[in-house]
Amino acid sequence: MMVFGFLLFFKLDYIPGLYTDETNYMNEVISKAHFGTDIHGLKNPIYFASVWGQGQSILYAWIITPLIKLFGFSIFLFRFPMALLTLVTILSIVLAIYFTSDDKWLSICITLAMVTTPWFLISGRWVLDANISPIFVTLGLVTMYLAMVNSSSIGRYLLLLGSAALLSLSAYGYVASWIYLPFLIIGLLFTGLIKKWFSLKEMFVWAMAILILVLPLIVFAYRVNVQHIDKFSKFMFFDLPYLQANRVSSLISTKGSILSSIKQNVFMGINQINLGSDNLPQNSTYPYGVIFPFMLAFTAIGLFGKNSFLNTNVKNFRIIILESLLAFIPGVMVIRPNYNHWNFLWFPLAVLTGYGVYLSFKAVGKVGKTTFILLPLAVFMLFAYKAYFGFNNQITSFNNSSGSMEETAQINKMMTKDNKGHKLYIKNLSSFFNTFRLVQKPINSSEYVSMEKVPRKNKESIVPSPQKDYGYLRDLNDVGRAESGDSTMLFDEDMSENGGFLSDKSWHFVKHSYFNHRKVEIFKKE
């Protein structure tokens, strides 16, 4: 556990690189910390409209904004709560089992399964709303379990209210939870009553607390998805944005046979789990997967194996974990698979893997026990050393992809110091401007409008995302408008495709540099 905790925080400000969604979120938080509003000028947004109006959840901003206000922005500080919450969640599961199980080996086996799950190292080191929500769900489930085993009436109610608060907050963390949580809450409500874990009064208090806490989000979802609002509105003290884009692309197609689409979706997701990659470089590297493929045998044992070795308490905890797994079946059917989209599966599956290791542990001798412990630890260290951090200067998809704040700062320095007043033409400005914004002086929503020179419709509308210009940045498609003293930056691999204009002898080579971990060439026009 100590080694895993060290790895969670090691080089947190450098690895992984800046993925677009995380960079957008950083800019939202910086705006909130400096000006008290999001990038569109909303003071208390219930949801970030974000750069392109596609939306990002607010939960992590509530956690990190006070820290940024106190200590200033850095990538390490921005990611620190995410890593800490991941570690706390794993510890909470392990300690809950340790203090309620007769055999302490169960907590050791669950610890082994949790700290050798590649996904927890990957997702715990960068910020995405899909990554934060399952943490709060899991903490809510653990708190509910602690309420169940608590003998004090007051203690039970307090823990149930804590569980309700954590589960409710998860809804503010990821839009897919809006599909997931109703099934989870209804399932736990009926199971808690049928199994007589809780009284009717206790379950009523728990359910009503959740309903009250998520009510503002229900109103927001109704206005966006049913009323299709096209301007900012308010509910209580919350500011409700509208969304120019939606997340329909994350769901299966409704054209043609729905059953066929569901079948294909489920099959694709299972393949991603079994084959060890979802083909997204920020999420996975083959063949390690979200859970090591060879550990999935233990997952199956944890799911279906006999639990006669377990006492009543940890049997009940396993039922809670199974409920949380089964509640995502509707999500598995309709949400397109990748390791982020199906994020509500990984904590339950990792816990069940730990149960499976324990049940297997009880059935083998010393050699088997030693193998069960050492093999996943050895493979995890190989993954961390070779595939994630890339020690000995080895390039990986995590240490050498996506954005780089340091490299962007160098380009920004070149333009603001040595080329002040001139323009820089880059490819895909709309995708890269957010990294430049990150290294520049923070700006409020009004300055944001002036930076891209595109007027917003009115004060109740989203600031349009930059397409052709942002400050000194210009899109490469408009390079024909470049004037004397302007510069352009081309990726080495794009020279043949995008460098045709360099045949104009007024352009001359200035230097080589790096941007987003890729080699670029800088040219200036005479």
Side-chain angles (χ1 to χ4, degrees):
M1 182 69 78
M2 290 180 63
V3 173
F4 180 80
F6 169 77
L7 292 176
L8 266 178
F9 296 98
F10 179 68
K11 289 189 174 182
L12 190 60
D13 46 349
Y14 295 106
I15 303 172
L18 298 174
Y19 183 60
T20 300
D21 284 351
E22 184 181 35
T23 306
N24 288 339
Y25 209 97
M26 288 176 176
N27 283 316
E28 293 280 10
V29 168
I30 290 171
S31 180
K32 280 284 291 178
H34 281 84
F35 308 108
T37 72
D38 67 5
I39 64 172
H40 300 288
L42 297 181
K43 289 185 178 180
N44 296 301
I46 199 170
Y47 198 79
F48 288 134
S50 197
V51 175
W52 302 290
Q54 82 283 8
Q56 288 184 293
S57 298
I58 193 70
L59 176 59
Y60 194 76
W62 291 341
I63 299 167
I64 189 60
T65 300
L67 296 177
I68 301 298
K69 279 185 177 181
L70 283 173
F71 303 108
F73 176 81
S74 71
I75 294 178
F76 182 89
L77 180 60
F78 181 80
R79 290 173 169 174
F80 180 84
M82 186 71 204
L84 182 62
L85 282 167
T86 300
L87 187 61
V88 167
T89 304
I90 293 172
L91 278 170
S92 72
I93 294 169
V94 171
L95 292 176
I97 293 298
Y98 180 84
F99 287 110
T100 58
S101 174
D102 297 330
D103 188 349
K104 305 310 177 186
W105 272 105
L106 176 58
S107 62
I108 294 173
C109 291
I110 288 178
T111 301
L112 178 70
M114 301 292 286
V115 302
T116 59
T117 295
W119 179 248
F120 297 144
L121 180 66
I122 295 169
S123 66
R125 289 177 54 89
W126 70 292
V127 176
L128 186 69
D129 46 4
N131 295 347
I132 189 71
S133 185
I135 286 175
F136 278 77
V137 168
T138 305
L139 290 172
L141 296 178
V142 171
T143 309
M144 186 181 200
Y145 172 66
L146 294 178
M148 181 199 310
V149 299
N150 195 291
S151 57
S152 165
S153 177
I154 295 175
R156 286 169 68 88
Y157 275 109
L158 289 175
L159 286 166
L160 279 174
L161 288 173
S163 171
L166 289 164
L167 290 171
S168 301
L169 284 172
S170 72
Y172 292 84
Y174 182 31
V175 69
S177 67
W178 302 356
I179 297 174
Y180 173 60
L181 285 175
F183 292 97
L184 176 63
I185 292 164
I186 292 170
L188 290 173
L189 182 63
F190 280 100
T191 302
L193 292 172
I194 292 170
K195 292 283 186 179
K196 297 183 179 179
W197 294 340
F198 302 102
S199 68
L200 181 61
K201 182 180 177 182
E202 287 172 330
M203 283 286 87
F204 177 79
V205 170
W206 177 76
M208 287 304 299
I210 293 173
L211 180 61
I212 292 168
L213 290 171
V214 300
L215 180 60
L217 202 59
I218 293 172
V219 172
F220 169 67
Y222 176 78
R223 291 186 183 177
V224 169
N225 298 312
V226 179
Q227 292 183 324
H228 302 292
I229 58 173
D230 59 359
K231 62 181 180 180
F232 299 150
S233 59
K234 289 189 74 72
F235 179 74
M236 298 169 57
F237 54 83
F238 286 110
D239 294 306
L240 278 56
Y242 65 96
L243 303 181
Q244 290 179 328
N246 56 46
R247 299 286 183 167
V248 173
S249 61
S250 298
L251 304 177
I252 63 171
S253 173
T254 55
K255 297 179 180 179
S257 171
I258 297 294
L259 290 177
S260 177
S261 295
I262 291 173
K263 181 180 177 181
Q264 183 179 2
N265 200 64
V266 173
F267 181 76
M268 187 185 306
I270 292 173
N271 269 349
Q272 289 178 4
I273 296 170
N274 290 335
L275 299 180
S277 176
D278 67 352
N279 298 314
L280 295 177
Q282 73 272 16
N283 280 353
S284 63
T285 183
Y286 177 83
Y288 298 99
V290 67
I291 295 174
F292 295 140
F294 71 87
M295 291 292 285
L296 295 174
F298 295 113
T299 311
I301 294 171
L303 270 167
F304 305 110
K306 293 182 179 180
N307 55 15
S308 56
F309 296 116
L310 309 176
N311 69 17
T312 301
N313 285 335
V314 294
K315 283 181 182 179
N316 288 337
F317 185 73
R318 179 175 172 273
I319 291 172
I320 291 175
I321 294 300
L322 283 170
E323 291 261 9
S324 69
L325 182 69
L326 295 175
F328 196 64
I329 287 178
V332 166
M333 295 167 64
V334 301
I335 299 173
R336 292 185 184 276
N338 65 47
Y339 291 171
N340 294 125
H341 286 175
W342 284 17
N343 214 342
F344 289 110
L345 294 177
W346 312 139
F347 271 107
L349 287 178
V351 172
L352 291 169
T353 302
Y355 272 91
V357 172
Y358 173 74
L359 295 175
S360 303
F361 205 79
K362 301 290 286 186
V364 299
K366 289 184 178 180
V367 174
K369 288 179 171 64
T370 303
T371 302
F372 288 168
I373 293 173
L374 294 182
L375 181 60
L377 287 174
V379 176
F380 183 81
M381 293 310 297
L382 179 66
F383 158 74
Y385 183 89
K386 183 177 180 181
Y388 189 85
F389 292 104
F391 292 114
N392 294 330
N393 299 315
Q394 185 168 350
I395 292 175
T396 75
S397 63
F398 301 101
N399 68 15
N400 196 55
S401 65
S402 302
S404 166
M405 194 168 175
E406 293 75 22
E407 292 169 0
T408 307
Q410 290 299 315
I411 301 296
N412 185 64
K413 182 180 178 181
M414 177 191 76
M415 292 305 300
T416 55
K417 296 287 182 67
D418 305 329
N419 296 275
K420 192 172 183 179
H422 296 289
K423 317 252 185 332
L424 176 65
Y425 289 82
I426 64 171
K427 184 179 179 180
N428 295 334
L429 178 144
S430 63
S431 298
F432 294 136
F433 88 95
N434 53 3
T435 313
F436 281 91
R437 177 173 181 168
L438 199 60
V439 302
Q440 296 168 352
K441 181 181 177 180
I443 58 174
N444 61 32
S445 57
S446 298
E447 292 170 312
Y448 179 31
V449 173
S450 65
M451 283 283 283
E452 52 176 310
K453 301 177 181 61
V454 178
R456 63 199 300 187
K457 294 178 182 179
N458 53 63
K459 290 184 179 181
E460 295 185 347
S461 65
I462 289 172
V463 178
S465 60
Q467 301 296 320
K468 294 186 176 182
D469 58 78
Y470 180 79
Y472 60 73
L473 296 174
R474 296 293 183 272
D475 192 85
L476 188 62
N477 288 329
D478 291 333
V479 73
R481 299 180 182 180
E483 300 174 350
S484 177
D486 291 346
S487 302
T488 186
M489 179 177 73
L490 294 173
F491 292 110
D492 267 14
E493 63 267 28
D494 293 339
M495 288 293 294
S496 58
E497 180 182 351
N498 300 122
F501 67 92
L502 296 174
S503 59
D504 182 342
K505 294 184 179 180
S506 63
W507 289 96
H508 69 273
F509 174 77
V510 177
K511 65 176 182 178
H512 290 290
S513 189
Y514 285 87
F515 179 68
N516 288 358
H517 304 288
R518 295 158 66 188
K519 193 173 182 181
V520 295
E521 296 185 26
I522 309 292
F523 295 86
K524 179 179 282 190
K525 188 171 185 177
E526 293 292 347

